Amino acid sequence: MSYLDLSNIRKSFENETVLDGISLSVPEGGTLVLFGKSGAGKTVLLRTIAGAIDPDAGSVTIGGQDMTTVPPEHRGIGMAFQNFALFPHMSAFDNIASSLTSRRMSASEIKRKVQDVAELLKIDHVLTHTPKALSNGQKQRTALARALVSEPKVLLLDDPLRNVDAKLRFEMRLELPCLLADRGATVVYVTQDYKEAMALGERIAVLDQGNIVQIGSPEDIYKRPANTEIAQLFGDPTVNLLDVVPQEDERGLHAFLSDQRVDFHGDFPGVAGRDCIVGLRPEALSFTQNGGFPVTIEAVTPFNEKTVTLVTTLRGREILVSQPAQSTVPEGPEQNITISAQDAILFDRQTGKRLEPVTTGERVEEAA
Amino acid sequence: MSLLELNGVNKIYNPGSAHAVHAVQNLDLSVEKGEIVALLGSSGCGKTSTLRMIAGFEEASSGQMAINSKEINRLPPAKRGVAMAFEGYSLYPPLSIRENIAFALKAEKMPATEVNKQVEAIAALLEISDFLDKRPNAISGGQQQRASLGRSLIRKADLHLLDEPMGQLEPQLRALLRGRIKHYIKQHNLTAILVTHDQTEANALADRIAVMEGGVLQQFDTPENLKNKPANIFTGAFIGEPPMNLFEAGAALNDTEIHLRLGDDVKLEFPKARFSPELIERVLTNKSVVVGIRPHSVHLAETGHPAEVYANQWLGDQTHVAARFAGKSIVSVAHDRVRCGPGEQVNVQINPEDLHIFDPATGAALSHGGVLA
Amino acid sequence: MDHTSLLERWLRRFALALIVTFFMFPIFWIVLMSLQTNETILRSPPSMAFVPTFDNYLAILAGRLDSNVASMGIDFLNNLMNSIILSVSSVAVALCLGVPAAYAFARHKFRGSEDIAFTLLSFRFAPPLLVLLPLTLYFQQIGLADTYLGLVWVYQLICLPLILWIVRGYFEDISPDIEYAYRIAGHSWFATFRKIALPLAGPGIAAAGLLAFIFAWNNFIFALVLASADKQPVTVGALAFVTASGIQYGQIAAAVVLSIAPTLALALWAQRYLVEGLSLGAVKG
C-alpha cells in the first residue's frame, strides 16, 4: 500500500517550468531515490512534499490524507538538508530537541529521546557544542538526528551526504539503509551521486527537466536505461556510446566494430539498417587472446579498485575498458577486446531511447 | 639530474606572529623529465602552497628549488619556464576561447596557420571545438576548465603545473579525458605536476604521487606502491576506495602459528611459515599492532570468521558488503553481485599476504603481506 | 625576505597612523577648544599651550552663557534631553515597524514588493526641505507641530528606510532552509520568526538601530523647522551660541563634546555588533 502519493505536481517559477506534472507513490516503509542532475527539479519536488513550496497544481497525499495545503509544521515529516541547515545559535542538543519542543512532552522525555538518537548516531559526546564547533561529519549527523528524533512517518533527505568528505560519505552510505529500515519511515532520498542512488534505492526515479524519465530498480536502470543520457549518468567510467548501423542475417542482429562482428542478444524487428547507438559498459568489455575486435591501447589510467584503459578501434573510435585492479593490462599496444551479446545495449540514434529486444515481434521501442 | 628539484623547502605564513602557519615542512621532491607527478592531499595539506612556490607566486621561506639544475628561488614566474592551469579557470574574459588558448603561442611568434592547427587539435582532444569562438562567460564552468587546461597544455614549457585540473569537469567526460590527457602528455613528452584532492584523478594520471598531510610529505611513490606498500597508517587509510579496514590487534606466537586477536571475539591464525622470521621478531616485540586489510582482499567464503552483514550495495560494476566484525565493521568489495542480505551470517577469509601491519605508536608500516616493510 | 616584510610592516603602521590622525584630529581639536577660553582659542598663531579650564562646561551645565558683553540664559541640558527622547523613541518606533516589514520584504516576494521597498528607500533621497514645507502646514492644522509625536513621526523618514534596507539584507542572508527546518520540526511561522530569524539577524538589527540612532541624533533640519525652543535637540540648540555679540567658540566646543558623547559611547560599546553587523554579513549555516 502506498503511503506517500504525489499526483500531477506542477510548479513554475517566472515562466520556467520546474516540475512538469509529476506523479509518484512510495509504499509505507519504502525508500524512493530521486536522482538527477542539478536543476532537474529534485529539490523543488522534495520541498513541495515538505510544504515549503506550494505547487501550482497537483496534490500531495500522506497516509491517505490530502496535505497539499497543510503548512509544513503539521505534515508530520522529518527532513535533512544538503547544507545541514542547523540553527547556528543553538547547541547540538537544542537543534535536535527543536523537533520535540513543539509537542507536549516533558523536558526529561525530550532529554531521553535526544540522548537515544545521539547515541545511535555517535554524537552524544558533542551535544553541548554549537554547530560552529562541530566537524562536518558531526554536523551532518546532527542534522540527521534532528530529522529522526521525532520518529516521523515520512523522512525527506535532500542530498544529505553531499557536503561530507569521501570517506564519511562511504561510511554513511553503508550505515544509512540499516538506520532507515530500523525506523520504519517512508523515505524520499535526493542525490546526484549514482552510487548513492543505487546503494539506497529500492526504487530510483530519474528526473530530467521536471519530468520523470525512468523509474525502476537499480538493476533496471543500470542494465536497461531508458535512454543514452541515463546510461551515461549511471556508471563510472561512463558507458561507451558508439554509432552503428546494425545488420541482420540468419544469425541475428549484429554490427561491426573494427571490422569485426558484434552480435546483439534477442530479436529487434525493424531495427536492421536504422541509425543506432550501441552502449558498451566499460566493465563488460575484456581483453582477449582469441576473437573479439582489434584495438590500440592509448593510455592506462589505474583507479583504485579497477584499471581503466583507453583504446581506439581501427577507425579511431575511443573505447574505455575497465577491469578489476587485480587483473593486468596485456603488454603491447595492439590488443583485442570482446563483449558478450547480452551486455550490448542498443539505442535509437534519433531519439536516444533504448531499443527493447522482443520475442513476440510487435513492440520495438520501450515506452519510457 | 632531475628536471625539478626541491630541497628542504619550507613555507611559513605570517612568520613570527601568533598566526604563523607552517604550511610546508622540509619538503624534498624531485621530478624527472617526462614524468607526471600528483600532489595529493585534503585541503590545507600544503599541496597548493607547494605548487604556488614552484610557479613563483609564493616565496619559499627556506630551502632550494631548481629547474634543470638552475636555482629558481628568486626568479619571477615568467622566467621559470613553467605553464600553469589554475583551479579558478582564469581565462581572459574579453578574449574568445580560441584567442585564450592561442595566447601564449602568439607571443612566441608562431605562424598563424600553425597556431590554428595546434589550437584545433587540443580543442578536439578536450571536446571544446564547438565553442572555440565564444567568450569565457558564455560557457559552463566545466567547459571553462577544459579551455584553461588547453591553454596550459598547448604551451611548450619545461614544466606544466595543473591545479585541480579536473575538479569542475562533467562526470561523464572525466574518465575519457583522463585517458586522452595522459596520452597527450606522454606523446608530447611533457612533464607535469598536478595538484588534486581526488585520489582517483591522481591514480589515473600520475606516474608518482606525493601524498601530503599537515604540510608533511607522507609518501612519494607509484600508485601501485602506495596501494600495496603504504608507508604509514595515514597513507594506508587515505589511499584506497573504499578505505582500508583497520583493526587494533594483539599479536601472539606459538610453535607453528601466529595469532592476531582483533577485538574480543576474532582470532586470526596464520602458519608461521607465511611470515618472514624478521617480521615475526618485530611483531612479537610489538605485541600490539594495527592490522590493515584492503576491502578487495576481504573474501566472503564458505569457511572463515563469522560476521553479520549489515549492508550489501551493488553499484553496477562492483558490490560493497559491510559486516559487523571484531566489534567494528569490515568492508568487502567484489566485482560481481554478491547475494546476501542484511542480518545474514557470512564468513570472512583473510590471507596473510594481504595483511598490512602498522606500529600503533608511530603509525609506521611494519610489514606488507608477511614481509618486513 | 624578512627585509621586505619588515619594511611593509612599517609602511603599514605609518599609513594607519596617517588615517587615524586624519579622522581623529577634529575631535581632538574640539576637545582642546572646549577646555580653553575664547581668547586663547582665537589668538594667532594658535598654540597648544594653555591653562585648561572647565568654565565652558560649567556654564553649559549651569545654563548661563556669559560673554564679555552680556550674559544670557541657555537651556542646553534640556536640548540634550530632547535629543535623547527624540532619537530613542524614533529608533524604537522604526524598529517595531521596520523589522517585521524587512522580514516580509526578504521572505515574501509578491508583485510590486521591490517597488514598494524602493519607494520607501527613495524617501532618503528627497531633499528634506521639499517635504518639510507642506508638512509644516499640515502639522499645524492637525496639531502635530511642535510635539514630540510629530517629530518622531517625521524622523521615521530617516530611520525607517535605513532599518528596512539593512535588516532586510540580513534576513535574506539567513538560508531559507534554516527556517524551513524549524517549521518542519513542528513550529509555526511566528515561532520561526521569533526563535530563528530574529536572533540570527540580531547583530544586523543592532547595527541598523545604532546607525538610525546616530542619524536621528545628528538631524538638524527637521527639528529646526518643526520644533520650538522647548522641543529642540542639541543640533539646533547649538545655534544659540552664535550671539549678536560674537561666537562663543569655547562653549560651542564644550556643547559639541557633550552632544557627541552619548553617540560615541554607544558606538564604542556596540563596536563589536557594528563591525560584525556591517562587514561580515549574517550567518552561514
Side-chain angles (χ1 to χ4, degrees):
Chain A
M1 212 206 98
S2 76
Y3 189 76
L4 172 70
D5 277 293
L6 305 182
S7 147
N8 203 25
I9 301 273
R10 289 176 187 281
K11 180 76 194 174
S12 9
F13 293 113
E14 294 172 7
N15 304 331
E16 200 188 329
T17 306
V18 183
L19 300 176
D20 191 10
I22 291 204
S23 302
L24 275 178
S25 65
V26 191
E28 184 156 17
T31 301
L32 175 79
V33 171
L34 291 177
F35 176 88
K37 294 187 285 194
S38 56
K42 312 179 297 280
T43 297
V44 175
L45 185 60
L46 206 65
R47 264 142 225 239
T48 309
I49 304 173
I53 291 177
D54 291 328
D56 299 338
S59 67
V60 178
T61 313
I62 298 173
Q65 256 185 303
D66 185 6
M67 290 281 185
T68 319
T69 54
V70 174
E73 60 266 34
H74 299 309
R75 294 198 180 193
I77 51 176
M79 182 160 174
F81 293 81
Q82 188 196 110
N83 55 10
F84 312 134
L86 295 175
F87 313 128
H89 57 307
M90 298 183 187
S91 67
F93 181 93
D94 289 336
N95 263 283
I96 300 170
S98 70
S99 296
L100 302 172
T101 47
S102 58
R103 300 159 189 229
R104 278 193 211 94
M105 198 178 272
S106 68
S108 62
E109 198 177 349
I110 291 179
K111 190 157 191 248
R112 187 179 54 78
K113 288 203 168 206
V114 172
Q115 195 66 34
D116 282 353
V117 76
E119 270 168 34
L120 185 72
L121 289 165
K122 301 173 197 125
I123 45 169
D124 45 319
H125 58 294
V126 292
L127 282 178
T128 54
H129 296 6
T130 56
K132 220 175 179 176
L134 298 176
S135 73
N136 249 9
Q138 289 164 343
K139 280 185 202 165
Q140 191 261 332
R141 283 163 184 267
T142 308
L144 206 56
R146 187 177 65 188
L148 290 173
V149 72
S150 61
E151 289 163 34
K153 301 284 273 174
V154 174
L155 200 53
L156 307 175
L157 305 177
D158 185 4
D159 219 343
L161 305 185
R162 182 85 184 279
N163 288 325
V164 299
D165 67 58
K167 210 140 283 180
L168 208 70
R169 196 178 316 144
F170 172 75
E171 264 172 39
M172 286 304 287
R173 197 176 79 206
L174 292 174
E175 273 177 47
L176 261 181
C178 241
L179 205 69
L180 298 177
D182 283 351
R183 295 255 148 184
T186 305
V187 181
V188 181
Y189 190 103
V190 161
T191 182
Q192 312 196 32
D193 179 346
Y194 88 91
K195 290 184 184 173
E196 247 170 82
M198 293 191 59
L200 280 156
E202 290 143 23
R203 281 199 314 152
I204 303 172
V206 184
L207 254 69
D208 189 28
Q209 296 179 348
N211 288 297
I212 294 176
V213 279
Q214 189 175 6
I215 184 160
S217 69
E219 182 153 1
D220 282 337
I221 287 172
Y222 195 79
K223 298 211 160 145
R224 292 175 288 282
N227 57 39
T228 48
E229 201 170 334
I230 296 176
Q232 281 179 299
L233 288 174
F234 284 75
D236 179 30
T238 185
V239 67
N240 297 293
L241 296 175
L242 304 170
D243 290 350
V244 291
V245 180
Q247 307 297 323
E248 194 151 30
D249 61 15
E250 65 282 358
R251 277 165 60 201
L253 198 70
H254 61 275
F256 287 92
L257 291 172
S258 276
D259 297 333
Q260 290 296 311
R261 185 185 166 113
V262 173
D263 285 302
F264 298 108
H265 187 71
D267 288 336
F268 295 87
V271 171
R274 233 158 99 179
D275 282 344
C276 287
I277 293 174
V278 62
L280 307 173
R281 293 262 176 221
E283 70 275 7
L285 291 158
S286 54
F287 290 101
T288 177
Q289 296 300 320
N290 37 17
F293 51 94
V295 292
T296 312
I297 294 182
E298 297 282 316
V300 180
T301 55
F303 285 33
N304 273 307
E305 68 275 29
K306 51 202 170 203
T307 302
V308 177
T309 311
L310 177 66
V311 302
T312 50
T313 65
L314 292 184
R315 299 234 155 70
R317 300 204 280 196
E318 289 164 309
I319 295 178
L320 291 167
V321 182
S322 164
Q323 308 162 268
Q326 293 88 332
S327 52
T328 49
V329 178
E331 293 283 320
E334 306 300 330
Q335 295 297 334
N336 280 10
I337 56 173
T338 183
I339 184 159
S340 72
Q342 285 97 323
D343 292 330
I345 316 167
L346 206 55
F347 302 94
D348 185 286
R349 203 185 302 171
Q350 202 126 48
T351 61
K353 287 185 177 159
R354 190 174 72 90
L355 297 168
E356 175 89 338
V358 289
T359 41
T360 47
E362 296 102 82
R363 215 160 49 98
V364 177
E365 271 179 35
E366 187 194 33
Chain B
M1 194 66 203
S2 316
L3 180 92
L4 171 77
E5 195 91 44
L6 300 188
N7 248 320
V9 170
N10 281 285
K11 178 70 199 176
I12 303 168
Y13 292 101
N14 308 318
S17 82
H19 308 290
V21 178
H22 205 156
V24 178
Q25 298 182 25
N26 222 351
L27 177 67
D28 298 328
L29 195 75
S30 64
V31 178
E32 307 300 324
K33 177 147 184 57
E35 200 176 23
I36 308 175
V37 166
L39 301 179
L40 175 66
S42 44
S43 60
C45 74
K47 57 187 194 300
T48 303
S49 297
T50 306
L51 195 76
R52 293 177 66 84
M53 283 192 285
I54 298 170
F57 303 134
E58 302 270 4
E59 229 172 318
S61 305
S62 66
Q64 283 90 48
M65 304 190 292
I67 290 179
N68 285 328
S69 312
K70 200 174 93 185
E71 188 179 298
I72 56 164
N73 283 40
R74 300 201 168 260
L75 279 184
K79 299 223 166 124
R80 295 190 178 195
V82 298
M84 183 152 173
F86 294 87
E87 186 180 2
Y89 335 128
S90 67
L91 297 168
Y92 311 120
L95 302 185
S96 70
I97 300 302
R98 183 191 302 278
E99 289 162 333
N100 261 290
I101 296 176
F103 197 80
L105 298 187
K106 282 190 181 147
E108 289 168 16
K109 305 228 159 41
M110 191 182 276
T113 50
E114 176 64 22
V115 169
N116 237 345
K117 211 182 91 193
Q118 291 201 13
V119 171
E120 298 282 347
I122 197 115
L125 181 101
L126 295 167
E127 302 273 339
I128 49 175
S129 308
D130 292 345
F131 33 85
L132 270 181
D133 295 308
K134 288 193 176 162
R135 294 278 164 82
N137 59 10
I139 61 177
S140 75
Q143 293 164 340
Q144 286 188 45
Q145 187 160 44
R146 281 183 268 149
S148 169
L149 200 52
R151 188 178 63 177
S152 160
L153 288 178
I154 204 169
R155 280 187 57 189
K156 299 277 166 290
D158 291 328
L159 185 60
H160 284 79
L161 305 176
L162 314 173
D163 190 3
E164 299 278 2
M166 301 176 117
Q168 304 289 323
L169 235 56
E170 301 80 348
Q172 292 84 334
L173 271 175
R174 272 190 202 164
L176 181 65
L177 286 194
R178 277 184 204 128
R180 286 190 190 170
I181 290 168
K182 189 169 186 179
H183 183 67
Y184 180 91
I185 293 176
K186 291 292 169 199
Q187 204 179 24
H188 291 75
N189 199 22
L190 305 179
T191 311
I193 299 182
L194 71 127
V195 156
T196 178
H197 69 278
D198 178 0
Q199 52 168 308
T200 312
E201 201 170 296
N203 268 313
L205 288 170
D207 300 310
R208 284 195 295 165
I209 300 175
V211 180
M212 294 183 76
E213 171 68 9
V216 179
L217 181 65
Q218 302 289 328
Q219 191 169 1
F220 184 32
D221 218 326
T222 61
E224 194 65 22
N225 279 345
L226 285 178
K227 194 169 66 179
N228 296 333
K229 294 173 181 165
N232 52 36
I233 293 183
F234 177 82
T235 345
F238 186 73
I239 299 284
E241 265 173 2
M244 184 186 262
N245 298 296
L246 289 168
F247 298 94
E248 281 163 17
L253 185 75
N254 66 19
D255 289 345
T256 54
E257 285 177 322
I258 284 189
H259 296 171
L260 291 172
R261 184 174 282 283
L262 317 182
D264 295 330
D265 50 350
V266 177
K267 192 159 83 176
L268 303 179
E269 296 167 346
F270 300 113
K272 237 172 153 179
R274 306 287 282 270
F275 295 85
S276 71
E278 306 96 304
L279 175 63
I280 292 172
E281 206 174 300
R282 285 277 287 276
V283 169
L284 268 181
T285 53
N286 263 290
K287 294 283 193 199
S288 102
V289 292
V290 172
V291 172
I293 311 133
R294 297 254 176 233
H296 297 89
S297 310
V298 176
H299 305 289
L300 304 181
E302 296 295 311
T303 58
H305 302 274
E308 189 196 324
V309 175
Y310 70 87
N312 177 351
Q313 304 183 337
W314 176 69
L315 306 176
D317 59 345
Q318 54 185 306
T319 309
H320 296 175
V321 177
R324 313 227 176 268
F325 181 73
K328 290 176 71 177
S329 86
I330 193 165
V331 176
S332 163
V333 169
H335 287 274
D336 345 287
R337 287 192 87 154
V338 179
R339 306 280 171 186
C340 60
E344 268 179 56
Q345 288 282 326
V346 289
N347 292 309
V348 168
Q349 220 173 57
I350 295 160
N351 298 326
E353 52 268 29
D354 295 326
L355 285 182
H356 301 272
I357 298 177
F358 302 97
D359 185 327
T362 63
L366 298 173
S367 82
H368 304 292
V371 188
L372 218 54
Chain C
M1 213 193 73
D2 279 331
H3 246 60
T4 44
S5 69
L6 197 69
L7 182 69
E8 209 179 277
R9 270 213 297 279
W10 279 107
L11 277 176
R12 188 170 296 159
R13 276 174 202 174
F14 180 69
L16 274 176
L18 215 63
I19 292 167
V20 168
T21 314
F22 182 80
F23 282 106
M24 293 307 288
F25 183 76
I27 295 177
F28 172 71
W29 198 248
I30 225 148
V31 171
L32 283 190
M33 274 171 71
S34 73
L35 297 173
Q36 301 177 55
T37 59
N38 236 12
E39 290 72 41
T40 48
I41 293 169
L42 292 175
R43 79 196 145 172
S44 179
S47 160
M48 299 269 274
F50 61 90
V51 183
T53 164
F54 286 97
D55 286 352
N56 295 323
Y57 289 97
L58 290 175
I60 285 173
L61 294 177
R64 296 237 22 111
L65 186 60
D66 292 307
S67 70
N68 40 8
V69 192
S71 135
M72 59 183 283
I74 190 165
D75 208 354
F76 188 77
L77 283 185
N78 188 34
N79 291 338
L80 203 62
M81 201 33 145
N82 284 336
S83 272
I84 292 172
I85 291 171
L86 286 173
S87 304
V88 168
S89 34
S90 300
V91 171
V93 170
L95 282 175
C96 290
L97 294 175
V99 171
Y103 185 70
F105 280 123
R107 279 289 176 258
H108 303 284
K109 302 285 177 221
F110 48 91
R111 191 185 295 271
S113 63
E114 276 309 308
D115 302 324
I116 296 173
F118 187 77
T119 309
L120 283 169
L121 182 69
S122 68
F123 291 155
R124 288 285 298 154
F125 307 150
L129 276 176
L130 207 71
V131 195
L132 264 177
L133 233 53
L135 216 55
T136 317
L137 295 175
Y138 282 130
F139 270 30
Q140 273 163 1
Q141 284 196 347
I142 55 177
L144 277 177
D146 200 24
T147 59
Y148 286 125
L149 182 65
L151 277 171
V152 167
W153 191 347
V154 178
Y155 270 36
Q156 294 311 310
L157 280 178
I158 310 165
C159 299
L160 199 53
L162 201 72
I163 284 178
L164 191 72
W165 275 77
I166 296 181
V167 175
R168 175 187 160 173
Y170 279 89
F171 282 136
E172 278 173 351
D173 276 356
I174 300 172
S175 156
D177 283 352
I178 291 186
E179 290 180 23
Y180 290 151
Y182 201 66
R183 288 201 67 184
I184 287 168
H187 303 269
S188 69
W189 72 264
F190 189 66
T192 310
F193 175 66
R194 269 189 335 140
K195 293 283 174 58
I196 304 294
L198 276 188
L200 290 183
I205 294 173
L210 201 63
L211 270 185
F213 181 85
I214 291 168
F215 275 85
W217 185 276
N218 290 346
N219 182 270
F220 174 73
I221 195 86
F222 287 142
L224 178 71
V225 177
L226 286 174
S228 65
D230 64 326
K231 303 281 185 324
Q232 273 172 356
V234 282
T235 43
V236 181
L239 278 179
F241 297 105
V242 184
T243 62
S245 58
I247 300 170
Q248 301 303 315
Y249 289 106
Q251 277 142 3
I252 290 183
V256 167
V257 170
L258 282 182
S259 66
I260 61 171
T263 45
L264 198 67
L266 200 62
L268 284 176
W269 171 73
Q271 199 179 26
R272 195 166 56 90
Y273 292 108
L274 259 183
V275 172
E276 205 178 309
L278 292 178
S279 61
L280 270 177
V283 270
K284 299 274 173 277

